[in-house]
DNA sequence: TAGCCCATGTAATGAGTTACATGATTCA
DNA sequence: TGAATCATGTAACTCATTACATGGGCTA
């Protein structure tokens, strides 16, 4: 239900074809949304049938024809009503965090590798955002104009960048934590065997490689910083 | 494709019914995933047919019967293969950021209200996580055991908490930014009219309430901190 | 000449949500 | 007595992804 508002929102400022909209979803809007052309085209046709947008065929030299869409008054009304509605509860879906949560099932070496790979993934997203914001920044300064749309879109870009920076930092910190607690995984070659016996673990039988908490308490407290309220402890 | 691994991952440590799994998705696992019972039940049946899990009916006193699932060897193999596969590229879907991006279409007063409401939403998530981590922290200290699973799940919880803290901070900063740039929206009553003319905007016709950038440059630079590389400027 | 960019789609499949259906116990 | 919790599901629908289809122009 949100894709259509992403389209209406974009068309509220610029006329565009499905292909143009996809380009935007891959560029600035990738901070908060992603979509395939095969979803955008049918949605555009649906929006036109509902008279929220209208289209015009524009011939191009040396390129295929374009179907350029324009938002209608009704479309603007729908967009505004959506914008004024109370915000939805955030619905988390983070595949990488899910994997991390279950990484006790694979050897430590693999855990560290995955964290490093993911850090790179996030670094690339950040680099892309930095580029986008740099270009926009120069353009704003050059044209010397500020508008509400520019303000809000840069605010969103800031949020995106902060998110990537913090995710990268978390990867680094977690790599350090895992390295400091390597022994919890036991020998790498034994990992397969360990897992086979893990099903008895819920009955409070200690895991072969479990250690007493006090051994790692300091590492833990440092990792968490002030996120934990550690009452009854003298430090 | 990830829900099934969320289920397998959970069952890799504890035997559980569909209802139990749902409870977990609403609790600790809500940091990175959410799912409905009407999706979990059919998935469990599918997993059983594929022999990745097996079930046993457990009668209960004063409560309906439970269908308790156990992961099979084949299920563990599938889980491990998924965990060892290279991480997927993150797929962003943040409805609130999408709305924020297009908030030039509604009055400033409404923009500020929405940012405040969303901040509260995130604050509630944070409070819930704090509670969860506090309970786990006490339990770890009491039992005095540390295992790889505990390590990784707390790392994920940390990430979740950081995310909420930073989102809240971003809301606050953005509220301040919007307040400082209120005039970009013009009079609230005029908002409807403004939007009607916005379609001519792509032709570089300045927006009625546009101001020169230099007027807000300092506010902007403060908002961004060191996120922008502002070359050729003396500060 | 192979592969990418432009441009628009359809079809099949998979994932996710909302509504409906049932029925016992427990708590206010 | 009504609402919430426990417990398992089906059906209808919407949303999202992957694969397929077409075809001209540009670039290495």
């Amino acid at each position: 239900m949100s894709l259509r508002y992403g389209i209406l929102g974009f068309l509220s400022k610029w006329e565009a074809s499905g292909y143009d909209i996809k380009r935007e979803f891959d560029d600035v809007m990738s901070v908060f949304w992603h979509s395939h052309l095969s979803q955008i085209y049918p949605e555009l046709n649906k929006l036109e049938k509902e008279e929220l947008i209208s289209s015009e065929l524009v011939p191009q030299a040396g390129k295929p024809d374009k179907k350029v869409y324009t938002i209608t008054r009704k479309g603007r009304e729908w967009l505004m009503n959506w914008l004024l509605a109370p915000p939805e509860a955030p619905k988390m879906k983070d595949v990488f965090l899910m994997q991390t949560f279950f990484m006790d099932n694979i050897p430590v070496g693999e855990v560290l590798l995955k964290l490093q790979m993911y850090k790179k993934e996030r670094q690339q997203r950040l680099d892309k955002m930095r580029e986008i914001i740099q270009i926009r920044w120069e353009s704003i300064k050059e044209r010397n104009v500020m508008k509400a749309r520019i303000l809000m879109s840069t605010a969103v870009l800031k949020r995106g960048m902060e998110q990537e920076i913090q995710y990268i930092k978390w990867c680094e910190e977690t790599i350090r934590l895992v390295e400091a607690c390597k022994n919890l995984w036991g020998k790498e070659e034994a990992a397969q065997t360990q897992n086979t016996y893990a099903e008895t673990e819920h009955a409070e039988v200690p895991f072969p490689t479990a250690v007493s908490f006090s051994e790692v308490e300091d590492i833990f407290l440092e990792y968490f910083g002030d996120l934990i309220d550690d009452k009854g402890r003298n430090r």
Side-chain angles (χ1 to χ4, degrees), chain A residues 15-202:
Chain A
E15 297 183 336
S17 68
Y19 203 82
D20 293 333
I21 292 166
K22 167 62 175 165
R23 220 191 275 109
E24 205 62 19
F25 273 116
D26 290 341
D27 193 59
V28 191
M29 279 161 76
S30 72
V31 175
F32 56 80
W33 211 260
H34 68 101
S35 195
H36 297 263
L37 273 170
S38 54
Q39 199 188 358
I40 292 167
Y41 286 126
E43 191 62 46
L44 283 167
N45 287 324
K46 247 170 81 186
L47 286 168
E48 194 173 14
K49 255 178 228 153
E50 294 175 44
E51 295 184 295
L52 304 177
I53 57 174
S54 64
S55 72
E56 199 194 345
L57 259 169
V58 177
Q60 291 185 116
K63 285 179 188 177
D65 290 1
K66 254 189 178 195
K67 212 165 152 187
V68 175
Y69 291 93
T70 312
I71 193 164
T72 64
R73 193 169 298 247
K74 196 179 161 191
R76 272 181 208 285
E77 273 166 37
W78 276 56
L79 175 64
M80 272 187 254
N81 286 336
W82 176 71
L83 288 170
L84 290 168
E88 286 181 38
K91 284 170 192 169
M92 283 296 143
K93 292 239 160 161
D94 188 321
V95 182
F96 186 72
L97 280 189
M98 184 188 266
Q99 289 192 322
T100 306
F101 198 81
F102 300 126
M103 278 188 191
D104 57 315
N105 286 295
I106 56 168
V108 224
E110 297 292 334
V111 174
L112 292 167
L113 260 173
K114 283 215 90 180
L115 284 164
Q116 271 145 15
M117 277 158 82
Y118 200 64
K119 186 191 152 189
K120 266 181 211 158
E121 188 84 53
R122 289 289 177 165
Q123 187 65 57
Q124 276 165 26
R125 270 181 70 89
L126 177 61
D127 292 344
K128 196 179 138 193
M129 284 184 204
R130 257 195 223 288
E131 231 175 86
I132 291 168
I133 205 149
Q134 210 53 49
I135 290 163
R136 306 192 102 207
W137 180 243
E138 304 299 341
S139 138
I140 291 165
K141 283 211 292 187
E142 206 190 305
R143 290 169 51 216
N144 196 35
V145 217
M146 180 45 59
K147 296 173 213 167
R149 165 64 59 98
I150 299 171
L151 194 80
M152 295 321 279
S153 63
T154 46
V156 168
L157 262 166
K158 189 202 177 186
R159 172 76 199 119
M161 284 173 71
E162 281 177 352
Q163 203 166 43
E164 299 311 323
I165 288 167
Q166 207 198 24
Y167 218 126
I168 291 161
K169 214 178 129 203
W170 175 84
C171 286
E172 286 165 356
E173 284 168 5
T174 306
I175 286 166
R176 256 181 277 135
L177 177 77
V178 171
E179 256 163 2
C181 299
K182 256 184 176 148
N183 54 321
L184 287 172
W185 271 263
K187 284 195 212 118
E188 300 218 356
E189 314 86 62
Q192 183 84 32
T193 326
Q194 270 174 39
N195 273 288
T196 316
Y197 292 104
E199 47 200 297
T200 58
E201 205 267 329
H202 69 279

